[in-house]
Amino acid sequence: MLLEDTPIAAVLPGHYIGERRCGYCHRSSGSCVFGFTSVSMTVDLYQRLMDRGFRRSGTFLYKPDLLNSCCPQYTIRLKAADFRPSKEHRQAINRFNRFVVGTQYEEALRRHNSSSHSASPVGKHNPQFDLISTIHRAEYDHLPQELAHVPTAHKFAVRLAPPDCTDEKFELYRHYQKTCHHEPDSKITKHGFRQFLCGRPFEFERDYDPYDMENFVSADGSQPAKKRLGLWHQMYYLDDQLIAMAVLDILPDTISGVYFMCREEYSKYSLGKLSACREIALSLEEQRTYYHIGLYIYSCQKMKYKASFGPSELLDPELYHYFSFDKFAAEFEKSEYVSFAQSHKGRDSPKGLRKSISSATKMSSRKDEERYEDEDVDEEDHMQVIQTVFDTDMPGVAGHEEIESSIDMSKVRLIIQKYVFTGENLSNEHPTVFAKLLEPILQMAAVMGLDLFYEVFLYFQ
C-alpha cells in the first residue's frame, strides 16, 4: 500500500491468542501469543518489530507471551563480524566441500597449491579458516580456472532468487515436510507454501524493484548500487537438482533466517549448520551488522544448535535490550522465564505451566545436525482463546491505564473502510465509532510500543 510515493505499514487490529497448541513440547494448550495481520509492511518497521520480540509467518506477525507460555521463545541474534566458527562448523563446511569436488579434484588442487605456495582451498589442511572464502570454495563459479580441465565429483551452485512459488520449490517443500515433519499429503498444499514462504510481504518505493538484479551492480562493479532488501530464496543446486533452500528476510541492518528445507538424502552433510554459516557469510557480504537466527527456547533440545552460533545475544522481553547468551544461560538454570527487569526476574508463570528443566529436555529430538525452524504460526489454524491483552500479565506490555493516559491520539493513524482519520479527529467527529474502536487501538499501542504504533495505519475493514 503506497501513500503517494512513500511505502506505508498498515495492519489489522490484533488479538491475544491463548491456550493454543505448542509446536515444540506438543502441549495442547500451553502457547500464548499476541498477533495481527499486516496489510502492508516495510522492511524498516519489521526489523524494529523483531527487536520488540515479533516474528512473522507470511503476513501474520506474532509476539510470544514468554511468561505465560510453556516454552518461552526468545529472539536470538549475533553480530556477523564477531562470529567465530567452531570446530564442528568448520568440519561441516570442509566435509561438504570435499564431497562436492571429489578426491581426484582435491588431489589436483593440492598439487597446484603446493607448486604455487598458496593455501589449500578445500581440505582440512588449511590452518587459516576464512568463512567467506571457505563457504564458496566448492561452488562451480568459484573454482580456479587453472584447474578447469580437472573434473569435479559434482557441480554445486547457490543463488539468490525472488520468492516466487514454483513447482521445483514446492516439490522440495513437500519432500521436506513429509520426511522431516511427517506431515500427510493432505496438509501440504501449494496454497499453504505460497502463503507461508513466498510472495511479496514488504512494500518499497515506487522506483525500487527489490528483485531487479541491476540494482545490485554498480557502474564499476565495486559496490552494489542499492541494498538488497525483502524476502529472498537462497537455492542450493547439486548437479542441477534443487537439494535445499533457505528462506531469508533481508532487512536494512540484519538478515533473518525464516525457514530452511533440504532433501533427506543429504542431511548427513549437516546442511542445516552449513546454511546458517552461509547466511552469516551473506550478512557480511551484504554489509549487514546482524544475523537473526529466529527464536530460541532454552529447554528445547532441537533449539540447542542455535546457541552454537556465537557469540549470540537474547532479547530481554521487558527491557527490549539484548544481553549475552551466557548471561541468560546462567539464569535459565534457575527459571525458564528470565528478564533482567526487577519486576519479573526469575518469576514462574501464574498459570502454572512452567515445566522443570529436567522434564523439558526430554522433549523429542532428532538428528543433531538437522536444522529446525520457528513454528509456523497461522492465525486461522491456531486461534482458540481470544482475550484482551490487558487481562494478562504479558511481559513488556504497558497496562491499560498507563497506555490510555500516555497515548497521543493526534498521532494515531486509522483507516476505516476507505477513509483516513487520526484518533483525535475520529473522537471529535464520530465519538460513538471511536468509543467502539478504542480498546483495539489501546491493545495495539501497548504491545507494539507507542513509537512503532504511531508509524502504522490501523486498518478497520
Side-chain angles (χ1 to χ4, degrees):
M1 181 180 292
L2 291 164
L3 189 63
E4 297 179 348
D5 292 328
T6 305
I8 67 168
V11 301
L12 301 182
H15 305 280
Y16 185 88
I17 308 166
E19 299 186 21
R20 43 187 296 279
R21 180 182 179 276
C22 177
Y24 300 104
C25 71
H26 308 300
R27 186 188 293 265
S28 62
S29 60
S31 180
C32 306
V33 302
F34 184 93
F36 59 84
T37 297
S38 66
V39 179
S40 62
M41 180 58 57
T42 66
V43 289
D44 177 72
L45 180 60
Y46 178 59
Q47 178 176 295
R48 286 182 291 154
L49 283 169
M50 284 202 310
D51 290 336
R52 198 173 167 85
F54 281 89
R55 291 290 285 176
R56 72 171 189 85
S57 176
T59 58
F60 185 63
L61 277 71
Y62 62 98
K63 175 181 170 64
D65 180 346
L66 277 65
L67 182 62
N68 297 300
S69 293
C70 50
C71 299
Q73 303 169 53
Y74 286 79
T75 299
I76 183 170
R77 75 176 188 185
L78 64 87
K79 188 172 286 188
D82 291 344
F83 175 59
R84 296 295 177 264
S86 67
K87 180 180 179 181
E88 189 177 23
H89 299 145
R90 297 193 301 270
Q91 287 176 339
I93 297 171
N94 285 328
R95 181 170 175 244
F96 182 76
N97 286 348
R98 290 193 296 272
F99 159 70
V100 170
V101 301
T103 303
Q104 180 183 354
Y105 190 92
E106 189 177 354
E107 288 300 323
L109 187 58
R110 189 169 289 117
R111 290 193 300 270
H112 170 75
N113 291 330
S114 178
S115 63
S116 61
H117 304 288
S118 60
S120 168
V122 173
K124 59 185 177 183
H125 306 291
N126 184 4
Q128 301 297 324
F129 188 93
D130 178 76
L131 176 64
I132 293 178
S133 63
T134 309
I135 207 75
H136 291 301
R137 237 159 231 172
E139 293 175 33
Y140 184 77
D141 292 340
H142 288 259
L143 298 176
Q145 290 297 314
E146 297 87 344
L147 295 177
H149 62 285
V150 181
T152 57
H154 302 279
K155 180 181 177 181
F156 178 60
V158 178
R159 66 181 179 88
L160 282 169
D164 300 320
C165 179
T166 66
D167 291 341
E168 178 185 45
K169 295 175 183 178
F170 177 65
E171 287 308 313
L172 175 64
Y173 174 74
R174 183 204 298 275
H175 168 86
Y176 181 74
Q177 297 301 110
K178 288 175 66 175
T179 58
C180 178
H181 296 296
H182 308 292
E183 288 190 7
D185 279 326
S186 60
K187 288 192 174 183
I188 307 172
T189 66
K190 185 171 280 191
H191 172 75
F193 171 63
R194 182 185 296 110
Q195 191 175 45
F196 178 34
L197 298 173
C198 302
R200 305 288 194 271
F202 301 110
E203 296 285 343
F204 298 95
E205 294 82 358
R206 288 189 188 276
D207 62 349
Y208 176 73
D209 179 357
Y211 306 110
D212 181 355
M213 295 303 178
E214 292 185 1
N215 281 325
F216 314 119
V217 179
S218 61
D220 61 2
S222 59
Q223 292 291 334
K226 294 184 178 180
K227 268 189 171 185
R228 192 190 308 271
L229 291 167
L231 176 62
W232 288 82
H233 289 168
Q234 190 170 51
M235 305 170 72
Y236 296 60
Y237 286 94
L238 189 72
D239 300 329
D240 297 322
Q241 179 192 26
L242 182 64
I243 66 165
M245 186 175 82
V247 181
L248 308 173
D249 282 336
I250 301 183
L251 305 172
D253 200 37
T254 188
I255 289 181
S256 173
V258 178
Y259 206 73
F260 179 77
M261 63 194 82
C262 65
R263 292 198 61 83
E264 173 69 17
E265 60 265 36
Y266 297 104
S267 62
K268 61 184 178 181
Y269 292 105
S270 304
L271 293 186
K273 292 187 182 75
L274 193 71
S275 69
C277 289
R278 184 173 288 276
E279 288 156 27
I280 295 170
L282 181 65
S283 300
L284 295 170
E285 293 170 323
E286 295 286 330
Q287 301 178 344
R288 300 310 199 268
T289 304
Y290 297 103
Y291 171 58
H292 275 73
I293 324 176
L295 300 173
Y296 177 80
I297 301 171
Y298 182 76
S299 59
C300 182
Q301 286 296 311
K302 62 188 182 182
M303 290 280 188
K304 294 295 184 184
Y305 80 92
K306 293 187 178 184
S308 71
F309 295 91
S312 56
E313 305 172 316
L314 299 182
L315 180 69
D316 189 297
E318 299 183 44
L319 300 176
Y320 298 120
H321 179 78
Y322 286 91
F323 294 95
S324 73
F325 176 84
D326 291 341
K327 182 178 176 118
F328 268 96
E331 297 297 324
F332 280 139
E333 293 299 326
K334 307 170 189 175
S335 171
E336 287 187 79
Y337 176 79
V338 174
S339 169
F340 295 102
Q342 292 303 311
S343 57
H344 281 125
K345 188 174 182 180
R347 251 183 76 184
D348 278 346
S349 164
K351 291 186 177 182
L353 295 177
R354 288 282 76 75
K355 306 181 301 300
S356 67
I357 293 291
S358 59
S359 64
T361 55
K362 295 178 182 178
M363 287 189 286
S364 60
S365 62
R366 305 175 195 177
K367 298 183 184 73
D368 289 339
E369 68 271 14
E370 194 170 359
R371 180 174 171 189
Y372 289 81
E373 303 304 327
D374 305 324
E375 186 178 3
D376 175 11
V377 178
D378 182 85
E379 183 180 31
E380 294 181 0
D381 289 346
H382 297 290
M383 190 179 294
Q384 295 184 14
V385 177
I386 301 176
Q387 59 193 108
T388 171
V389 72
F390 300 123
D391 292 333
T392 75
D393 57 352
M394 184 173 178
V397 175
H400 191 285
E401 292 183 6
E402 178 185 352
I403 200 69
E404 189 170 24
S405 63
S406 58
I407 192 169
D408 182 350
M409 284 296 171
S410 69
K411 296 181 180 179
V412 174
R413 301 188 292 180
L414 308 171
I415 300 176
I416 302 175
Q417 296 178 349
K418 297 180 180 180
Y419 301 98
V420 177
F421 298 88
T422 66
E424 185 177 57
N425 289 341
L426 185 67
S427 66
N428 292 332
E429 298 172 16
H430 305 281
T432 303
V433 175
F434 176 77
K436 291 180 180 179
L437 303 184
L438 180 60
E439 195 68 12
I441 291 172
L442 295 178
Q443 285 196 72
M444 291 290 286
V447 179
M448 293 181 68
L450 287 174
D451 288 347
L452 298 184
F453 180 63
Y454 291 150
E455 294 188 27
V456 306
F457 284 81
L458 189 56
Y459 184 27
F460 292 91
Q461 295 176 312

